[in-house]
Amino acid sequence: MKKKLFLILILAFPLFTFSKLKILPIDTSEIKTFKTLKYSSAFITDNGKYIGYSQETSLYNYQHTIPVIFKSLDGNWQMTIDSIIGSYHLAANSKFAFFLKGESKLCILKLGGKEIEYIPDVQEYQVLLDNEKTILAYITKGNNLTIYDIDTRKKFFFNNVLKYEFSPFSNKIAIVSKQCNNNCIYISDINKNSKSIIWTGDNNINKIVFSKNGSQLTFSTDSTLWYYNLKIISKAEKLKIPFADDFTGLHNPVPTFFSRKGKLLFFKIYKKQAIGNNSSNMPNIYSYLDGAFDMSAEPDEISYMCCYNTQNGEFIRIEHDNEEMGDISIDEEKILISKRQGSPGEYYWNIKSLLRDYIINIDNKKRENIKTNFGKNILSPNGNFVIGYYNFSGDIICSDLVDKVSRNLTLDLPIPLVDDIQESPRSQKSRSLKFIKFINHSKNVLVRDRYDLWLLSSKNIFSPINLTNGFGRKNHISFELLNHNEDFNKTKEIILTAFNETTKSSGFYKIRIGARRNPEFLSMGPYIYKDVQKAKDKDIWIVKRMSAA
């Protein structure tokens, strides 16, 4: 009897206690006026002299027009512009700021002063050159294009412009214009104010793409792909894609990009849809043998990446079903092809979700299979190595395409064999390892574990080097690169982001490559950092910092 009474008292206690609590209504009015930087943006000039940032706004009262502050970092100049429409742009050479205001009015503010030049009736604008010279392109009513050299005050005018594309490395611009009921494309050199027509027809021009150095150009018209070499030919040439063999059942090529050196022109080409009397009420039937279930009633039109070799005139189909093009080697001879049938998240139970990647050689068409089958394989810039995994965040495997061997680069790292912070079915073999980048002409690999950064040899020639000296794991601080595009030269200082798992603080440290010592503390606090930017030519950073209070 005593035991039963005791149980009743325990059960009744929380009921009695909660019945006395007063439930307060939730007041959401504060949210409407709560100021936030969620919609704010910030920019910094290349030399770090000027910044521009939009003021904080409330979540509910966010407007299309917002105030923007421009200021010099020496504190000697500041100007606030009310009601800027959309985005704004700072010239990298610290000379000007550009923005739209009022009724389609383009404004050019001279940084450091109060002078503003106004250009009316501007529908859109683009900064073409942004270094020693500042050249602006804008379209006004009636589809008239103006190229404006702000430094020399010279302007060049083009009428009835439908679209345009600029090549910053050659100072040439391709312009699509309506002339005598026909569309035409002409190339103009903005330095010489010259132009030459390269194509005329009644077809619609879908897309124009320049090569990186501006010496080649491609575009498509309806179902035709065209190619133009500014140094060799005077008119655009129609590329005759062989719609047979590997290209059977494909149509409508659309250019995407040129390879870095311009050897390969890549384009998407679409699969012809079957024509029939299929009823929309017909059910889709799937089997457990299918790699993935596509439940969408109207699937997207299927396309495949292909390329045209500008040196020998050969067409190559890069992608096939369930394939996606990956990295391209610097010499433009090797391309990584990623292939899988199932969803990546099902890899631990669906065998069709595992990768079956391969390398294709553009010149001889030979294929080389890659064994690592999880996540994403990465081809080194020199084309000699492929980095991959067998498990989620597991050991990092390097496939040597020259020596024809695979090496486990992280097998001997002095970290736990299992360091699973996600505790999910797919991560049960995780060591929390992550590949960051190839460095030193692909001879070395930069990786991170849960806490620290490591320098590895692509060929396992030397033992792993802990760049953060084990400081992260010892203090439960997780380090990552702030700028993944940073050059890793010896003695160079590298900024790291830091997150303390114990205190939940975030901030920054720095390390010096080649110095085996603890990372140097810069800043930590109860904040979240976003949208970090660096001045291109200076060690000056601008960040967005937010806190809960």
Side-chain angles (χ1 to χ4, degrees):
M1 181 65 185
K2 290 181 179 180
K3 291 183 178 179
K4 291 183 179 179
L5 181 61
F6 181 68
L7 289 173
I8 291 172
L9 288 172
I10 291 176
L11 293 171
F13 177 75
L15 296 176
F16 173 79
T17 303
F18 285 113
S19 67
K20 294 294 184 179
L21 291 177
K22 185 178 181 181
I23 300 176
L24 297 175
I26 299 176
D27 183 9
T28 60
S29 62
E30 293 294 328
I31 300 177
K32 295 182 179 181
T33 57
F34 181 77
K35 297 291 185 179
T36 176
L37 292 171
K38 177 179 175 64
Y39 302 110
S40 300
S41 59
F43 299 96
I44 187 168
T45 56
D46 284 0
N47 58 15
K49 289 184 177 181
Y50 295 94
I51 62 170
Y53 59 95
S54 48
Q55 292 182 328
E56 58 184 8
T57 57
S58 65
L59 287 172
Y60 277 66
N61 296 329
Y62 174 69
Q63 303 293 328
H64 181 60
T65 59
I66 53 176
V68 173
I69 297 173
F70 299 102
K71 65 188 300 182
S72 60
L73 292 186
D74 60 13
N76 294 328
W77 175 84
Q78 178 174 316
M79 178 174 284
T80 301
I81 305 294
D82 296 323
S83 304
I84 285 181
I85 299 175
S87 60
Y88 56 94
H89 182 86
L90 282 178
N93 58 18
S94 295
K95 290 183 179 180
F96 306 100
F98 309 95
F99 50 89
L100 289 174
K101 188 175 169 58
E103 299 178 358
S104 303
K105 186 186 297 181
L106 175 60
C107 304
I108 304 174
L109 167 66
K110 189 171 183 180
L111 295 175
K114 296 183 179 180
E115 178 185 345
I116 300 179
E117 180 179 356
Y118 297 97
I119 303 175
D121 301 326
V122 174
Q123 297 176 346
E124 61 178 83
Y125 75 94
Q126 179 183 355
V127 180
L128 301 184
L129 282 181
D130 193 7
N131 39 53
E132 292 83 11
K133 300 178 67 175
T134 305
I135 296 181
L136 194 68
Y138 57 88
I139 292 182
T140 54
K141 288 181 180 180
N143 294 326
N144 297 315
L145 172 67
T146 301
I147 307 297
Y148 180 22
D149 187 331
I150 301 177
D151 298 289
T152 63
R153 316 294 292 178
K154 291 182 179 179
K155 293 183 179 181
F156 309 104
F157 303 97
F158 306 91
N159 300 323
N160 300 319
V161 173
L162 302 178
K163 63 179 68 175
Y164 66 92
E165 189 68 33
F166 180 67
S167 170
F169 292 95
S170 64
N171 293 342
K172 290 182 172 58
I173 185 169
I175 299 172
V176 180
S177 178
K178 198 77 174 178
Q179 304 267 339
C180 302
N181 297 323
N182 274 333
N183 293 328
C184 70
I185 300 178
Y186 50 89
I187 304 295
S188 176
D189 189 321
I190 60 176
N191 290 332
K192 302 177 182 178
N193 193 23
S194 62
K195 65 179 182 179
S196 57
I197 294 179
I198 64 168
W199 181 89
T200 303
D202 56 4
N203 306 92
N204 293 322
I205 291 92
N206 299 322
K207 188 176 182 181
I208 299 175
V209 178
F210 271 105
S211 62
K212 186 174 180 62
N213 65 2
S215 65
Q216 301 173 90
L217 176 144
T218 181
F219 60 93
S220 60
T221 59
D222 299 331
S223 60
T224 304
L225 189 65
W226 299 80
Y227 170 74
Y228 176 65
N229 190 313
L230 282 70
K231 296 180 179 179
I232 299 176
I233 55 180
S234 58
K235 299 290 183 181
E237 295 179 343
K238 179 179 179 180
L239 295 182
K240 298 179 181 179
I241 301 174
F243 290 105
D245 300 328
D246 221 11
F247 289 85
T248 301
L250 305 179
H251 71 150
N252 290 347
V254 177
T256 55
F257 67 98
F258 283 90
S259 57
R260 182 181 295 270
K261 295 180 179 179
K263 173 183 175 180
L264 305 174
L265 159 58
F266 290 92
F267 60 94
K268 287 276 189 180
I269 195 165
Y270 290 83
K271 184 178 182 179
K272 291 182 179 179
Q273 299 295 317
I275 301 176
N277 296 319
N278 295 330
S279 172
S280 59
N281 296 322
M282 290 293 291
N284 293 325
I285 300 175
Y286 296 98
S287 163
Y288 72 95
L289 296 175
D290 294 326
F293 296 160
D294 185 4
M295 298 298 186
S296 57
E298 297 181 0
D300 295 334
E301 192 175 5
I302 299 173
S303 65
Y304 306 96
M305 187 69 79
C306 306
C307 76
Y308 169 69
N309 191 324
T310 62
Q311 296 182 357
N312 59 22
E314 185 177 20
F315 289 91
I316 305 169
R317 179 171 170 179
I318 303 296
E319 294 177 347
H320 296 76
D321 288 335
N322 303 311
E323 292 182 351
E324 183 178 355
M325 188 180 82
D327 304 310
I328 308 170
S329 60
I330 288 178
D331 60 12
E332 302 180 1
E333 293 182 2
K334 296 176 182 177
I335 298 178
L336 174 66
I337 306 298
S338 181
K339 182 174 183 178
R340 79 164 98 228
Q341 289 180 271
S343 171
E346 300 173 353
Y347 88 99
Y348 56 94
W349 65 268
N350 184 356
I351 193 172
K352 292 193 175 182
S353 294
L354 296 175
L355 295 173
R356 291 181 291 161
D357 293 1
Y358 61 91
I359 300 292
I360 182 172
N361 189 298
I362 291 297
D363 293 330
N364 58 28
K365 311 302 180 299
K366 288 184 178 181
R367 295 188 178 189
E368 184 169 352
N369 293 328
I370 303 301
K371 294 181 180 180
T372 44
N373 57 12
F374 171 79
K376 181 182 179 181
N377 288 312
I378 300 171
L379 178 67
S380 66
N382 65 5
N384 292 340
F385 306 100
V386 173
I387 289 290
Y389 305 83
Y390 286 117
N391 295 292
F392 177 84
S393 294
D395 280 314
I396 294 174
I397 310 300
C398 182
S399 299
D400 191 324
L401 304 181
V402 178
D403 295 343
K404 310 299 181 185
V405 296
S406 294
R407 303 182 179 96
N408 187 334
L409 301 185
T410 54
L411 180 64
D412 297 327
L413 284 186
I415 62 174
L417 293 177
V418 176
D419 198 3
D420 179 15
I421 59 176
Q422 294 196 8
E423 297 182 352
S424 65
R426 70 173 184 167
S427 62
Q428 53 191 315
K429 295 182 180 180
S430 168
R431 299 187 75 188
S432 294
L433 289 166
K434 179 183 177 182
F435 168 82
I436 299 177
K437 62 186 296 186
F438 284 99
I439 59 176
N440 193 21
H441 306 291
S442 302
K443 293 178 182 178
N444 302 120
V445 174
L446 188 66
V447 305
R448 65 178 294 266
D449 62 22
R450 181 172 175 176
Y451 299 105
D452 293 298
L453 273 68
W454 297 84
L455 181 68
L456 311 177
S457 166
S458 301
K459 289 180 173 286
N460 255 353
I461 295 175
F462 57 80
S463 299
I465 300 174
N466 193 321
L467 297 177
T468 45
N469 205 32
F471 184 83
R473 185 168 294 275
K474 182 179 179 180
N475 296 278
H476 292 178
I477 298 176
S478 179
F479 289 116
E480 290 195 45
L481 285 184
L482 177 60
N483 180 11
H484 281 229
N485 295 322
E486 195 87 55
D487 292 329
F488 275 74
N489 300 322
K490 197 170 183 180
T491 72
K492 182 178 177 63
E493 288 188 341
I494 304 296
I495 306 295
L496 306 178
T497 63
F499 174 73
N500 190 309
E501 290 185 348
T502 304
T503 65
K504 310 304 179 186
S505 294
S506 298
F508 305 94
Y509 282 71
K510 69 178 179 180
I511 60 174
R512 185 181 293 275
I513 301 301
R516 297 198 178 189
R517 61 189 183 196
N518 291 341
E520 182 180 340
F521 172 83
L522 296 178
S523 172
M524 289 288 281
Y527 309 110
I528 293 176
Y529 294 92
K530 291 183 64 179
D531 303 336
V532 180
Q533 296 181 60
K534 177 185 178 298
K536 182 179 178 181
D537 304 323
K538 295 287 184 179
D539 286 329
I540 300 175
W541 304 75
I542 182 170
V543 300
K544 184 187 292 186
R545 191 180 77 176
M546 294 178 284
S547 65

